[in-house]
Amino acid sequence: TRRVVTGDRLPALHHMRLRDDPAGSRRGATAARPLPAHLRYAKAKPKRAPDVLPTPSELAAALKGITQLHAAPSLPRVVELYNMAQFTHATDSAVPLEEPIFQPSPPEVVIDDFEPLERYSMPLCFRNNDSVARRIKVLPPDSSVFSVDPPAHLRAAGGKVAPGVEVQFRVVFTPRAAQDYQCELECVTEREKFLVSVRARGPRPCFEFPDAVDFGLQPVRVAAQEVFLLRNTGLRDGRF
């Protein structure tokens, strides 16, 4: 559900000091799922179940990091609508109401591989899809392992981004243990508040078994059996 807010002012922009990565910190280039270059700002669609499920070998390769999974373009969830007349004179927008004015790229941050007590920094970009300059801010997440560093030039511009221009925030992840983490980043524009999910996936079981079991030629009305090996090559116990 969406809640329409008609307050007399937009919450004040929160500016965090842009920190340089210390020596030895990790950028997370192989940890976070990127978007393919041609889909970086593709037309977003609501999330839906995939048409074709991965095979066991494809899923095992992704869990082991042999192949890299890409983030899928999806539509962020808008949770609040604001009265734009309270914050700007440019109340007409070229962006449909069901889409946020700023399109995030990637649409969600997913971290598949990380080590405890390391520092990871991933870019999170937003492009102004409107025809006029708009403001955006990312609220500090309610998390002890995730934080957001805004760009330094955003404060000098009054939080405004020109039409068709992108602005890059950095999501900082400092895990304390090898486990799952998740939070929702609240992104606020002059018209709405929408959420960008941030997920870190810890160690998981990884079952390996053949993609197909071939029984060959069998006579009719005769029960047949075939034996295959199933192994858990992951880092945790699992059930099947």
Side-chain angles (χ1 to χ4, degrees):
T1 59
R2 296 179 180 175
R3 180 163 61 92
V4 178
V5 178
T6 57
D8 55 357
R9 70 182 183 89
L10 191 66
L13 284 173
H14 178 86
H15 297 284
M16 298 175 61
R17 184 171 61 89
L18 186 64
R19 296 175 297 175
D20 294 329
D21 285 343
S25 66
R26 299 187 178 184
R27 284 284 182 178
T30 61
R33 295 184 187 178
L35 271 175
H38 68 287
L39 295 178
R40 187 176 181 186
Y41 285 110
K43 186 67 175 178
K45 299 179 180 179
K47 290 184 179 180
R48 62 184 181 89
D51 297 329
V52 180
L53 296 177
T55 64
S57 59
E58 292 173 344
L59 186 57
L63 289 174
K64 291 182 176 181
I66 300 175
T67 60
Q68 190 175 31
L69 296 176
H70 291 287
S74 58
L75 197 63
R77 182 163 60 95
V78 178
V79 294
E80 290 187 20
L81 293 177
Y82 299 106
N83 184 1
M84 296 181 64
Q86 301 290 337
F87 318 123
T88 178
H89 296 291
T91 57
D92 294 332
S93 176
V95 182
L97 194 61
E98 62 271 11
E99 300 178 13
I101 293 177
F102 283 83
Q103 182 179 355
S105 179
E108 63 175 351
V109 180
V110 182
I111 305 169
D112 290 308
D113 183 25
F114 61 88
E115 295 290 338
L117 305 180
E118 293 284 355
R119 184 180 188 273
Y120 298 87
S121 178
M122 290 74 63
L124 176 59
C125 300
F126 296 89
R127 187 180 68 176
N128 180 6
N129 286 343
D130 212 342
S131 57
V132 297
R134 297 293 186 185
R135 292 191 297 164
I136 185 173
K137 62 180 178 179
V138 178
L139 301 181
D142 184 16
S143 172
S144 60
V145 296
F146 293 108
S147 61
V148 178
D149 286 342
H153 64 82
L154 194 61
R155 177 183 296 181
K160 284 192 174 184
V161 181
V165 176
E166 73 172 14
V167 60
Q168 184 182 100
F169 291 74
R170 297 205 71 86
V171 179
V172 179
F173 175 48
T174 53
R176 299 177 180 176
Q179 64 184 40
D180 292 352
Y181 295 96
Q182 182 175 1
C183 78
E184 300 282 352
L185 297 181
E186 296 182 342
C187 310
V188 181
T189 71
E190 297 169 342
R191 190 181 69 177
E192 72 268 314
K193 177 191 291 186
F194 63 95
L195 302 179
V196 175
S197 298
V198 181
R199 295 185 291 119
R201 308 197 319 164
R204 274 169 163 65
C206 178
F207 294 106
E208 290 190 359
F209 53 93
D211 291 341
V213 179
D214 185 8
F215 283 84
L217 296 176
Q218 298 291 339
V220 298
R221 298 181 181 180
V222 176
Q225 294 183 351
E226 191 72 26
V227 178
F228 65 90
L229 179 65
L230 185 147
R231 298 183 302 166
N232 180 10
T233 58
L235 300 178
R236 282 192 174 180
D237 296 340
R239 302 176 63 182
F240 64 94

